[in-house]
């Protein structure tokens, strides 16, 4: 069962100025992430950087420095969420949250309660997923406008699926937008229609854009509140940094202003939405003076999601033979954009979930690299191309990740959730390339761990557990879950510490507890390297430190 998020009152320290600090931490096991000296007894930070990590007997004088006693908790290098949506995490706290709804009845009861409590305005929510609902045999029962109309009569309602790749709209919403049986979906999208040809209310992938005019345009202060909420949630979970995927270009100045005002307690590495690509290509990478907010990547979309059957596959879906999914962009559109990014020193991150989506991105990357040789790139050969998700890859295509190379940015919790419906979507044979962390790592591929929150809960302990156990939170591991793709604990630690640092060009500053690196630490009340697997998701973060400054401490 998912744990509730702690409230802001649980924070001992948060949103203080981002000044670097001096600090001593001791009183528990310290895992450094360094093979030559894997553990330490004491860590000392001075001016926000690690000055000492080693045995207590050899430590220099710490007289006058603040001391944190771990009281038996375990310290690690700062955990970084390699793929999350900071804005969505914040808005999840402020809007209707359908996460964990157990049925259509449950989800609609939540909608009715929200509508009663908020009698005015558009209702916006997110988090429903139908794949395990009793009304949804084989994942075929999506929410419809009729469901929303019955739960919130006369209201404009927009409810996004948990994965963000499908939304359902109420009849008043469709009427306001003028969407009828004659409305055509844009390229890369689908409007689901019933036997009578009329829209059911469900919009998939690019078709969600048709609903945009009804989305409330939050004022700057509301947006700031959402980011504050997102920072609070992430710090509570123990994340010291977030790779913010699809960061809205319009919000980059706000995040930078928050950093300058001391309201950005965590490190944020922005991969912006395509609408900001040209401006970022023109400016090149940018960051705040303290390096807390860095913007040097752009994220594109190759295909959709597996759950809503938008992931692009080579062969038809096993449970929907009429479709192979949805590509979101063409070769002629994307390759010139890739070439611009390479010439501008901007990192490329591309969403790809299906096997056809992943193969296409690899081909596009190879074409762009050939067109823009290293001599024409500010980064030379060190471009660190990324594929976000890389969920379904043909084993014959694994070598593409090694050879180009491509960083595989993957979210372990997707596997333990998706495997309740992925066999139906894919059939058994294609599961050989599904969520193949171990296979890719064995080839020398960098696999960055993330959560994709708010698509998933966003807890690093759930992600770590999923990576090493490859079981769901009830301990279930079906016969077709490919258990050999689980990774060992030392590898899982790298997935959330050193490898996200590498993927953001900061492996010399972050990712391990070594002298000279920035003093970013995460402590949990369990030792992830020794505790029984089943206990991992039940632990809690006890301490989050960034630049030697405590940004969260569990009471």
């Amino acid at each position: 069962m998912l744990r509730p998020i702690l409230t802001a009152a649980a924070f001992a320290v948060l949103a203080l100025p981002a000044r670097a600090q001096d600090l001593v931490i001791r009183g528990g096991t310290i895992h450094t992430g360094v093979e030559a000296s894997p553990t330490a007894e004491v860590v000392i930070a001075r001016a926000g950087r690690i000055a000492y990590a080693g045995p207590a007997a050899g430590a220099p004088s710490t007289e006058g420095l603040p001391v944190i006693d771990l009281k038996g908790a375990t310290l690690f290098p700062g955990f970084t969420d390699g793929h999350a949506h900071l804005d969505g995490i914040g808005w999840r706290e402020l809007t209707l949250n359908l996460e964990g709804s157990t049925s259509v009845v449950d989800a609609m009861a939540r909608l009715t309660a929200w509508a009663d409590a908020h009698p005015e305005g558009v209702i916006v929510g997110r988090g429903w997923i139908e794949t395990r609902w009793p009304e949804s045999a084989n994942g075929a029962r999506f929410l419809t406008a009729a469901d929303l109309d019955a739960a919130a009569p006369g209201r404009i309602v927009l409810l996004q699926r948990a994965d963000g790749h499908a939304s359902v709209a109420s009849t008043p919403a469709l009427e306001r937008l003028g969407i009828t049986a004659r409305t055509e979906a844009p390229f890369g999208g689908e409007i689901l229609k019933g036997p009578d040809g009329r829209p059911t209310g469900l919009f998939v992938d690019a078709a969600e854009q048709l609903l945009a005019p009804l989305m409330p345009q939050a004022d700057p202060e509301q947006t700031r509140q959402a980011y504050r909420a997102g920072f609070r949630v992430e710090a509570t979970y123990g994340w010291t940094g977030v790779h913010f995927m699809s960061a809205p270009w319009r919000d980059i100045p706000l995040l930078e202003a928050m950093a300058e005002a001391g309201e950005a307690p965590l490190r944020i590495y922005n991969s912006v939405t395509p609408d900001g690509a040209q401006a970022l290509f023109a400016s090149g990478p940018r960051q705040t003076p303290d390096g807390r907010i860095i913007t040097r990547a752009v994220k594109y979309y190759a295909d959709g999601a597996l759950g809503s059957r938008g992931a692009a596959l080579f062969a038809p879906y096993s449970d929907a033979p009429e479709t192979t999914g949805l590509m979101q962009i063409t070769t002629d559109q994307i390759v010139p954009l890739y070439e611009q990014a390479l010439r501008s020193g901007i990192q490329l991150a591309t969403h790809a979930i299906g096997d056809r989506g992943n193969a296409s991105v690899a081909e596009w990357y190879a074409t762009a690299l050939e067109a823009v040789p290293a001599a024409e790139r500010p980064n030379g050969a060190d471009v660190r191309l990324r594929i976000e998700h890389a969920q379904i890859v043909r084993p014959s295509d694994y070598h593409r990740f090694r050879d180009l190379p491509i960083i595989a940015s993957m979210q372990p919790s997707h596997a333990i959730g998706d495997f309740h419906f992925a066999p139906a979507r894919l059939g058994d044979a294609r599961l050989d390339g599904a969520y193949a962390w171990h296979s890719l790592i064995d080839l020398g591929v960098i696999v960055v761990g993330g959560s994709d929150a708010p698509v998933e809960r966003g807890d690093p302990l759930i992600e770590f557990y999923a990576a090493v156990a490859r079981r769901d939170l009830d301990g279930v591991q079906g016969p077709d879950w490919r258990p050999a793709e689980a990774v060992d604990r030392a590898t899982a630690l790298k997935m959330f510490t050193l490898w996200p640092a590498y993927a953001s060009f900061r492996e010399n500053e972050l990712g391990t507890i070594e002298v000279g690196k920035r003093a970013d630490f995460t402590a949990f009340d369990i030792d992830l390297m020794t505790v029984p697997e089943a206990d991992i998701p039940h632990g809690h973060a006890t301490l989050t430190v960034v630049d030697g400054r405590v940004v969260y401490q569990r009471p």
Side-chain angles (χ1 to χ4, degrees), residues 321-409:
E322 71 278 6
T323 184
T324 58
L326 299 166
M327 291 296 290
Q328 297 294 300
I329 201 163
T330 68
T331 301
D332 290 343
Q333 291 170 328
I334 194 63
V335 171
L337 295 171
Y338 283 178
E339 293 174 6
Q340 281 186 278
L342 291 171
R343 289 191 174 96
S344 304
I346 299 302
Q347 187 182 31
L348 286 163
T350 308
H351 164 115
I353 289 182
D355 52 14
R356 180 161 57 103
N358 278 281
S360 296
V361 175
E363 291 173 3
W364 297 339
Y365 280 162
T367 300
L369 288 172
E370 185 176 357
V372 185
E376 297 179 21
R377 309 174 208 149
N379 298 331
D382 192 17
V383 293
R384 307 194 186 185
L385 303 169
R386 298 173 58 141
I387 289 183
E388 304 303 313
H389 308 306
Q391 286 181 207
I392 315 300
V393 180
R394 295 182 303 186
S396 59
D397 286 333
Y398 289 165
H399 72 94
R400 297 171 183 257
F401 286 80
R402 177 197 63 203
D403 297 344
L404 281 176
I406 300 170
I407 295 167
S409 174

Side-chain angles (χ1 to χ4, degrees), residues 137-322:
N138 297 320
R141 172 63 159 90
F142 293 111
L143 287 178
T144 67
D147 295 322
L148 277 53
D149 297 342
R155 299 293 297 273
I156 294 176
V157 184
L158 305 170
L159 302 179
Q160 194 170 49
R161 194 174 184 272
D163 62 10
H165 287 267
S167 294
V168 62
S170 64
T171 297
L174 300 180
E175 292 173 347
R176 180 72 63 86
L177 292 166
I179 294 174
T180 68
R182 297 181 179 180
T183 303
E184 296 184 2
F187 174 80
E190 183 180 6
I191 301 172
L192 266 64
K193 297 180 180 179
D196 59 0
R198 300 175 62 184
T200 66
L202 193 78
F203 297 74
V204 180
D205 287 315
E208 291 182 284
Q209 299 168 8
L210 299 175
L211 307 179
L214 292 181
M215 294 296 292
Q217 298 300 311
D219 65 32
E221 183 53 34
Q222 288 177 307
T223 303
R224 199 176 193 120
Q225 290 293 340
Y227 280 116
R228 286 171 179 157
F231 279 125
R232 284 197 300 270
V233 169
E234 296 298 87
T236 303
Y237 278 137
W239 298 115
T240 61
V242 175
H243 290 192
F244 184 2
M245 289 293 145
S246 299
W249 178 249
R250 65 178 183 275
D251 290 351
I252 301 304
L254 171 59
L255 287 167
E256 293 171 343
M258 291 180 73
E260 293 182 10
E263 295 185 84
L266 309 181
R267 300 191 190 283
I268 304 300
Y269 185 77
N270 291 314
S271 184
V272 303
T273 47
D275 64 294
Q278 294 302 321
L280 189 58
F281 294 161
S283 70
R286 55 193 276 176
Q287 68 177 51
T288 53
D290 61 1
R292 195 60 64 87
I293 308 293
I294 295 175
T295 305
R296 69 173 294 175
V298 61
K299 181 190 171 189
Y300 292 102
Y301 283 83
D303 65 352
L306 186 67
S308 51
R309 299 186 184 87
L313 303 177
F314 281 107
Y317 277 79
S318 296
D319 59 355
E322 71 278 6

Side-chain angles (χ1 to χ4, degrees), residues 49-217:
R49 290 188 180 269
I50 299 167
Y52 177 81
S61 173
T62 58
E63 184 176 355
L65 296 185
V67 177
I68 290 182
D69 184 349
L70 291 170
K71 298 180 180 179
T74 307
L75 192 74
F76 296 90
F79 270 52
T80 294
D81 191 333
H83 181 117
H85 307 280
L86 186 63
D87 54 347
I89 294 166
W91 286 115
R92 179 173 60 184
E93 302 302 297
L94 305 179
T95 56
L96 172 58
N97 186 355
L98 296 174
E99 180 185 27
S101 52
T102 58
S103 63
V104 173
V105 172
D106 178 25
M108 293 302 93
R110 296 190 195 187
L111 171 58
T112 297
W114 184 273
D116 290 344
H118 303 81
E120 303 292 335
V122 175
I123 298 174
V124 176
R126 179 171 177 163
W128 63 273
I129 185 165
E130 78 295 335
T131 52
R132 300 184 74 181
W133 285 350
E135 303 96 335
S136 183
N138 297 320
R141 172 63 159 90
F142 293 111
L143 287 178
T144 67
D147 295 322
L148 277 53
D149 297 342
R155 299 293 297 273
I156 294 176
V157 184
L158 305 170
L159 302 179
Q160 194 170 49
R161 194 174 184 272
D163 62 10
H165 287 267
S167 294
V168 62
S170 64
T171 297
L174 300 180
E175 292 173 347
R176 180 72 63 86
L177 292 166
I179 294 174
T180 68
R182 297 181 179 180
T183 303
E184 296 184 2
F187 174 80
E190 183 180 6
I191 301 172
L192 266 64
K193 297 180 180 179
D196 59 0
R198 300 175 62 184
T200 66
L202 193 78
F203 297 74
V204 180
D205 287 315
E208 291 182 284
Q209 299 168 8
L210 299 175
L211 307 179
L214 292 181
M215 294 296 292
Q217 298 300 311

Side-chain angles (χ1 to χ4, degrees), residues 498-511:
L498 182 59
W499 289 345
Y502 175 85
S504 59
F505 298 87
R506 303 195 80 184
E507 71 275 16
N508 293 327
E509 290 193 284
L510 305 170

Side-chain angles (χ1 to χ4, degrees), residues 498-545:
L498 182 59
W499 289 345
Y502 175 85
S504 59
F505 298 87
R506 303 195 80 184
E507 71 275 16
N508 293 327
E509 290 193 284
L510 305 170
T512 56
I513 300 178
E514 294 183 80
V515 172
K517 287 194 173 184
R518 292 184 178 271
D520 289 9
F521 312 113
T522 302
F524 299 106
D525 61 359
I526 57 175
D527 189 338
L528 298 177
M529 312 310 283
T530 59
V531 72
E533 282 182 354
D535 292 342
I536 294 174
H538 303 293
H540 297 273
T542 61
L543 182 70
T544 308
V545 177

